[in-house]
Structures are given as structure tokens and as C-alpha cells.
Amino acid sequence: MVIVFSTSWFDFRQNTQIYPSVSSSQHSIVYGKMKLSTLSLAIIAIFMASYCCFAVPARSFKDDVVMENEQVLDPSGPMILRWTIINETAEIEIEVQTNCTGWMGVSFGNGLGFGRPGALGDLMIGGYDDELGIGYIEDRWIDLSVLSEINPGGGEYDDHVDVFLKSATYQEPWSIIRYRRSIDTGDSQDVVIRPGPMLVIWTYADSDNTSIPHHPDTPGSSRVTFFNL
């Protein structure tokens, strides 16, 4: 059994939000490549509280949101997208389920398609590293105006992180992550979740190293209507 904390942390060296898990049998937390005892963890927690500039907690979510919508993005994979609009906070909670052992990514287009000036993709890359026992998520963007310059699996890191990981797990053969973001983050490197059909580009990989290119059968694209007016 794996118990998952509701608080995630940022590894600023990789601009990656990570999500530590606790093993009930070993009673230790895996962070990066270090396995920490409960006593060591308490000491480090006190240190981090005093010097919060080294690691700051991401948002904590206490509610258990039910996914109200679902769309299969890749029937052959498959890759499944689920989501719920949270009207009270103008946010969307998204769950991605993929038959893969590495990272997975979904990118929302800004409505200009491919190869046109100003075309932008708002990319989330995330997954669950079962060797380290952590989930992770990265906020990136892709310039879709020049297709030949798109880095496989890549894009550029956002200057400001606007995706917040809620949970991550691997249940063979499924990697599943759930995250939350604002409908409109106000970030020029992000895309507003609009009513009506939106372009969603999806991809996944066999490695948790997010610098490793995506699976050769991907990427693919779909049209997803997150909500209507």
C-alpha cells in the first residue's frame, strides 16, 4: 500500500514539481535519490521551515474532486483524459491515464493551429517514477509556429509554474496523474481553457527522464471540448 502526501515540493534545479510518496512498510520518504528516516525527515522539515527559499510547498488540496468528463485521446494506447471544471475557483482539475512506464504529456493549443505566426502549445509533462516513489510535473510551452524547431517531447520551461500536482501513481500497466490549474492563469506562456473544441496534442514515453524523446508512435492530436458556454 502506498500513502501519498497532499503536499508537493519543487526541485528548482530541474524546474520540476515532485510529489513524494511514503512507503508504509519502510516508513521513509524517497526524495530525489535519498531515502530518509522519520527522524531525519523531521530535522530536514525544521531546516526547510527556517530557510523556505530552498523548497516551498506547492498548493495543498483537501477535496476529492470527482472527474465528470472523459475522452479517449489514443484508442490504440490507450491514453485517457478526464477533467472537471471547478466553477467556485475558476479552475480545472485534469487526470491523465496512459498505458506507459514513463512520462506523458498533454498540450493545449491556443486556437491558431500549426505553422502559423503566434501558434502556441501549453504543455504539461508529468508521470510517476516508481523507482524513486515520486510523482512529478513540469510546466512548459511549445512554439507551434515553426514545426521543424519543435523539440521531441520538449518545449521550453515556463517562467512561472501554473500547474499543481495532486496525485501520481503507477498501477500496471497504467501511469496516472492528476493536476489542477486555473482556467485563465494570466500567464502569456499558458493557454486559456476556452469553451468549445480545443486542440489537444498528446504524447508519452517509456522513460521518466523528461529529456528523453517521446514514443515513436506519438505525438497525436485530438479535439476536446472542456466546457460549453
Side-chain angles (χ1 to χ4, degrees):
M1 178 180 70
V2 174
I3 304 171
V4 181
F5 281 137
S6 62
T7 301
S8 50
W9 301 85
F10 287 102
D11 182 343
F12 288 110
R13 293 169 302 174
Q14 299 179 354
N15 197 29
T16 302
Q17 185 185 151
I18 64 173
Y19 195 95
S21 300
V22 179
S23 169
S24 59
S25 60
Q26 297 176 344
H27 300 286
S28 59
I29 287 182
V30 178
Y31 181 86
K33 294 185 178 179
M34 299 182 296
K35 185 169 288 185
L36 309 177
S37 66
T38 303
L39 177 60
S40 299
L41 180 64
I43 296 173
I44 291 175
I46 294 173
F47 177 81
M48 286 182 172
S50 301
Y51 299 92
C52 61
C53 58
F54 292 104
V56 296
R59 294 178 54 186
S60 177
F61 303 98
K62 297 181 180 180
D63 55 325
D64 185 16
V65 174
V66 176
M67 296 290 98
E68 298 177 349
N69 309 278
E70 177 179 302
Q71 182 168 328
V72 176
L73 300 180
D74 178 16
S76 63
M79 189 173 191
I80 303 169
L81 186 70
R82 302 184 181 94
W83 69 94
T84 291
I85 301 295
I86 306 169
N87 292 313
E88 295 80 3
T89 56
E91 293 177 306
I92 182 171
E93 187 158 315
I94 297 172
E95 182 176 277
V96 186
Q97 177 177 325
T98 311
N99 186 350
C100 74
T101 56
W103 61 263
M104 44 193 161
V106 290
S107 176
F108 307 133
N110 65 351
L112 296 179
F114 298 99
R116 299 178 60 185
L120 176 76
D122 184 359
L123 174 64
M124 178 286 305
I125 288 180
Y128 179 79
D129 189 324
D130 55 334
E131 291 186 1
L132 298 180
I134 58 173
Y136 56 90
I137 194 167
E138 298 177 0
D139 193 352
R140 302 190 186 189
W141 63 277
I142 305 175
D143 181 357
L144 298 178
S145 64
V146 184
L147 298 184
S148 61
E149 296 183 4
I150 295 177
N151 182 22
E156 304 294 334
Y157 287 111
D158 273 24
D159 295 329
H160 185 269
V161 176
D162 295 298
V163 292
F164 303 94
L165 188 66
K166 284 195 65 176
S167 63
T169 186
Y170 179 74
Q171 302 171 10
E172 190 175 2
W174 303 106
S175 290
I176 306 170
I177 65 169
R178 185 180 287 203
Y179 69 100
R180 190 180 291 193
R181 54 155 287 175
S182 296
I183 298 293
D184 183 355
T185 66
D187 187 341
S188 62
Q189 294 174 328
D190 291 338
V191 168
V192 178
I193 305 298
R194 307 179 305 278
M198 286 187 64
L199 172 68
V200 175
I201 304 169
W202 46 265
T203 186
Y204 49 85
D206 297 323
S207 171
D208 288 303
N209 183 345
T210 57
S211 65
I212 299 295
H214 52 70
H215 192 278
D217 292 338
T218 70
S221 64
S222 304
R223 293 283 176 177
V224 177
T225 298
F226 291 102
F227 65 97
N228 290 305
L229 287 176

